[in-house]
């Protein structure tokens, strides 16, 4: 879900998944933030039997966030008439196909031709980068990462792999971040 946007612009173009990707063997989630997990119930409705892989901590946070999103959408419907993006049944069904995978534990795709592994990425509890190894090469894909230790999670360490391709999300790569110790002191005040 694209947060803060109204109308149809809240969602990515999900039709492209079916039109361009074809059948899926698995869905892999790097972390729980709503801009990554918010549309999962809709993707699940399109692919109801496809397992969704994520770390156990990410699964726990996704459960909370999707439940909260239902309440927020219900409130918007009651007060503003905004149609919810998905029903509660879609969330429950989606949660039922989540497969929690611990860090650094290999998982094979349904057809066995791709192996995936989650690696700690810092950022938030359960966040990961994902390595994919196939017959013709390997990819390391990240969502958001943080290389700095935080109070709640250690910073990312580079995975002990040598991928052929690295894809790194750079959502905030064009701006400076506030000084973390100052932010923490202000929060405590």
């Amino acid at each position: 879900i694209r947060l803060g946007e109204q109308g149809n612009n809240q969602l990515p173009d999900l039709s492209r998944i079916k039109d361009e990707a074809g059948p899926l063997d698995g869905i892999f989630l790097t972390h729980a933030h709503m801009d990554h997990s918010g549309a999962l119930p809709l993707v699940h409705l399109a692919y109801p039997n496809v397992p969704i892989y994520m770390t156990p901590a990410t699964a726990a946070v996704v459960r909370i966030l999707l439940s909260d999103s239902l309440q927020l959408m219900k409130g918007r419907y009651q007060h503003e008439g905004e149609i919810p993006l998905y029903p509660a049944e879609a969330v429950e069904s989606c949660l039922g196909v989540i497969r929690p995978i611990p860090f650094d534990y290999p998982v094979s795709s349904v057809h066995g031709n791709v192996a995936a592994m989650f690696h700690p990425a810092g950022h938030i509890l359960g966040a990961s980068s994902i390595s994919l190894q196939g017959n013709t090469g390997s990819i390391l894909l990240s969502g958001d990462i943080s290389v700095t230790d935080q109070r709640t999670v250690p910073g990312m360490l580079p995975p002990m792999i040598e991928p052929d391709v690295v894809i790194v999300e750079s959502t905030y790569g064009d701006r400076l971040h506030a000084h973390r110790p100052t932010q923490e002191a202000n929060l405590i005040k």
Side-chain angles (χ1 to χ4, degrees):
I1 291 179
R2 295 178 184 140
L3 302 176
E5 295 191 26
Q6 298 299 316
N8 294 335
N9 293 333
Q10 282 183 278
L11 296 172
D13 184 1
L14 298 174
S15 67
R16 291 185 66 191
I17 296 173
K18 277 205 182 260
D19 295 345
E20 297 175 19
L24 301 181
D25 286 339
I27 299 166
F28 294 83
L29 186 66
T30 58
H31 68 285
H33 279 156
M34 289 300 282
D35 59 323
H36 290 257
S37 67
L40 271 180
L42 295 175
V43 175
H44 168 68
L45 287 174
Y47 295 95
N49 299 315
V50 174
I52 304 172
Y53 300 100
M54 61 189 75
T55 65
T58 295
V61 177
V62 162
R63 180 175 294 280
I64 293 167
L65 290 178
L66 292 181
S67 174
D68 284 352
S69 73
L70 288 173
Q71 294 305 312
L72 290 171
M73 287 187 287
K74 180 180 176 183
R76 286 186 185 142
Y77 177 71
Q78 290 171 342
H79 294 100
E80 301 165 21
E82 184 178 319
I83 304 295
L85 297 173
Y86 41 78
E89 298 79 24
V91 171
E92 283 306 311
S93 180
C94 176
L95 294 174
V97 299
I98 289 176
R99 303 294 178 259
I101 305 294
F103 288 127
D104 301 318
Y105 183 86
V107 61
S108 293
S109 68
V110 174
H111 294 83
N113 54 356
V114 176
M117 189 178 295
F118 291 86
H119 309 278
H123 187 52
I124 64 169
L125 184 66
S128 63
S129 58
I130 303 168
S131 60
L132 301 170
Q133 178 68 51
N135 297 333
T136 58
S138 62
I139 296 174
L140 178 66
L141 169 71
S142 84
D144 297 318
I145 61 172
S146 176
V147 296
T148 306
D149 288 346
Q150 301 173 54
R151 292 186 188 271
T152 54
V153 293
M156 175 188 186
L157 295 174
M160 300 305 291
I161 59 172
E162 293 185 22
D164 298 311
V165 175
V166 176
I167 301 171
V168 180
E169 181 173 354
S170 58
T171 304
Y172 300 109
D174 65 344
R175 58 180 90 153
L176 293 174
H177 294 284
H179 186 247
R180 175 77 63 169
T182 302
Q183 285 183 310
E184 290 173 356
N186 290 339
L187 178 62
I188 292 169
K189 286 180 188 177

